[in-house]
Amino acid sequence: MPKRTSLDAVIIGAGVVGAACAYYATRAGLRVAVVDRGSVAGGTTGAGEGNLLVSDKEAGPELDLALLSAGLWRELAAVLPQEMEYEDKGGLVVAPDEASLGALRSFAEGQRAAGVTAVEVKEGDLRELEPHLAAGLAGGFHYPQDAQVQPAQAAARLLAAAAAEGALVHLGEEVTDLVVERGAVRGVRTRTGKLLAPAVVNAAGTWGGRIAELAGTTLPVLPRRGFVLVTEPLPRVVRHKVYAADYIADVASGSAALQSSAVVEGTPSGPVLIGATRERVGFDRSLSVEALRRLASQAAALFPVLADVRVLRTYHGFRPYLPDHLPAIGQDPRVPGLLHACGHEGAGIGLAPATGVLVAAALTGAEPPLDPAPFRPDRPFGPEPGTEGQP
């Protein structure tokens, strides 16, 4: 890799967040390079379902980011190739009983005030939206703004579009160190050379904490493992993204223990995707039979028609998790020249475009489309979940 001095920024990570940062930075007129030790979408992005959700986020900064991203994904779907498999299919959150339905109702009220469309669905109307849904549910809420993309294709298309505008892409090049001069980050080192630039964007996903360490600072990114089941190809038996109300609590939880709440959705190619589990086990890649059993059981409880369907394969990955459930986005005030775009946990695919826009604004000094303060990388994250009260 030759030494270059004409770059405006180096982006570490070729997942969907890094690709979005490159896309919007090049659109803003910047010359960037993207560096990844593996392939495009070779980490968390390639192990995702492609969820673009507003339904699971309570009113607050993350929901604001999700709503901005939802609009940006619609724009991207109109200008990038259809291989992204963008579907504005909408989401359906169902409640097993009246108590859960009441909690969903309160949750939706706060979301509506923030700009979310949330339509209550009575028990008798659920099957109009999902004919194969289980009987006996108390009701639910329909979220027409929920959507989906094919995540690896989305990352590849964003990166290709950035490359067409002059972005340099270096795959199979691991960042071994950062170039730091007089306390400021001024590029990256790999085993084959250096890339110099006045800014480096840490979009390294679950390895974001390691990049922060190379810069002499900290970012408490933790890996959170999750599994997905993929069924045999089927007719379109599931029309929306469908999940039970307890999924929302799982997303907001900081527990290290195994949690599972099935999210069930069909795909244009036929297979049904079933996620999602969450557990903090470090980077342990071993198969969890219990996690898969729970997902299969919960999916069949929501859609009895799936009970006898074959699962063709499973896959799993690690979500980059920060203790306060918000990503770190923007300039790190502790280290000049270092920006972060990581820690999105399971929402990174959905939040990628808005993250890219915020990073591009930080790089150029432009006015950001929303207040970036809640995502400051130097904010107090609090103790690691599960360690409260320990000395």
Side-chain angles (χ1 to χ4, degrees):
M1 182 189 297
K3 180 176 178 179
R4 303 190 63 94
T5 58
S6 59
L7 295 171
D8 296 301
V10 177
I11 298 166
I12 305 172
V16 71
V17 172
C21 290
Y23 177 82
Y24 287 104
T26 56
R27 289 191 67 193
L30 301 179
R31 181 168 169 79
V32 305
V34 178
V35 186
D36 196 294
R37 66 182 182 180
S39 59
V40 177
T44 299
T45 296
E49 293 175 77
N51 291 333
L52 315 179
L53 301 182
V54 299
S55 56
D56 63 340
K57 297 170 181 63
E58 66 178 338
E62 188 182 28
L63 180 57
D64 294 340
L65 201 65
L67 287 168
L68 174 60
S69 261
L72 292 170
W73 272 120
R74 287 192 292 272
E75 293 177 5
L76 290 169
V79 299
L80 295 179
Q82 293 303 305
E83 285 88 345
M84 287 200 319
E85 294 185 13
Y86 176 84
E87 284 191 282
D88 54 350
K89 62 173 66 174
L92 180 63
V93 187
V94 297
D97 52 45
E98 287 298 329
S100 296
L101 185 61
L104 279 181
R105 194 175 289 124
S106 297
F107 189 75
E109 287 176 2
Q111 291 175 312
R112 289 193 189 103
V116 173
T117 301
V119 181
E120 184 165 357
V121 183
K122 302 298 183 184
E123 175 186 2
D125 298 328
L126 285 174
R127 289 201 174 187
E128 291 186 15
L129 292 173
E130 289 290 346
H132 298 284
L133 198 61
L137 297 167
F141 276 81
H142 178 222
Y143 288 87
Q145 290 156 296
D146 281 357
Q148 181 180 358
V149 293
Q150 207 295 330
Q153 286 282 14
R157 299 302 166 183
L158 285 168
L159 202 53
E165 295 297 322
L168 306 177
V169 181
H170 298 278
L171 303 178
E173 292 280 355
E174 182 176 0
V175 171
T176 58
D177 205 352
L178 300 184
V179 178
V180 180
E181 298 176 355
R182 294 187 291 277
V185 172
R186 289 294 178 259
V188 306
R189 288 188 176 91
T190 75
R191 289 185 172 86
T192 59
K194 292 192 290 188
L195 283 169
L196 301 180
V200 171
V201 179
N202 173 15
T206 50
W207 297 98
R210 174 59 180 154
I211 299 302
E213 289 176 5
L214 293 177
T217 188
T218 60
L219 196 67
V221 180
L222 302 170
R224 206 175 186 191
R225 188 174 70 181
F227 288 87
V228 176
L229 305 179
V230 184
T231 75
E232 61 186 310
L234 300 170
R236 201 60 181 260
V237 296
V238 183
R239 300 176 178 178
H240 303 79
K241 288 182 177 289
V242 183
Y243 59 88
D246 56 356
Y247 172 79
I248 297 172
D250 283 358
V251 170
S253 170
S255 173
L258 174 63
Q259 298 172 302
S260 65
S261 182
V263 179
V264 185
E265 58 189 307
T267 63
S269 55
V272 172
L273 302 182
I274 302 167
T277 63
R278 284 171 165 78
E279 57 186 329
R280 287 196 287 115
V281 292
F283 286 101
D284 181 359
R285 300 196 65 87
S286 60
L287 187 70
S288 170
V289 175
E290 175 60 18
L292 303 182
R293 184 197 64 78
R294 288 193 195 183
L295 284 179
S297 175
Q298 291 165 347
L302 280 176
F303 289 93
V305 69
L306 296 178
D308 297 322
V309 168
R310 291 182 301 162
V311 172
L312 295 186
R313 66 184 181 95
T314 69
Y315 61 91
H316 61 286
F318 299 96
R319 305 176 182 91
Y321 166 82
L322 282 167
D324 64 356
H325 300 282
L326 290 177
I329 305 172
Q331 173 67 50
D332 192 326
R334 302 165 296 185
V335 184
L338 178 65
L339 293 85
H340 297 285
C342 59
H344 300 74
E345 206 205 333
I349 295 162
L351 302 180
T355 299
V357 167
L358 289 182
V359 167
L363 289 169
T364 61
E367 184 71 22
L370 54 76
D371 182 9
F375 312 108
R376 283 175 60 107
D378 64 331
R379 66 187 185 269
F381 290 95
E384 178 181 329
T387 64
E388 294 85 348
Q390 295 183 12

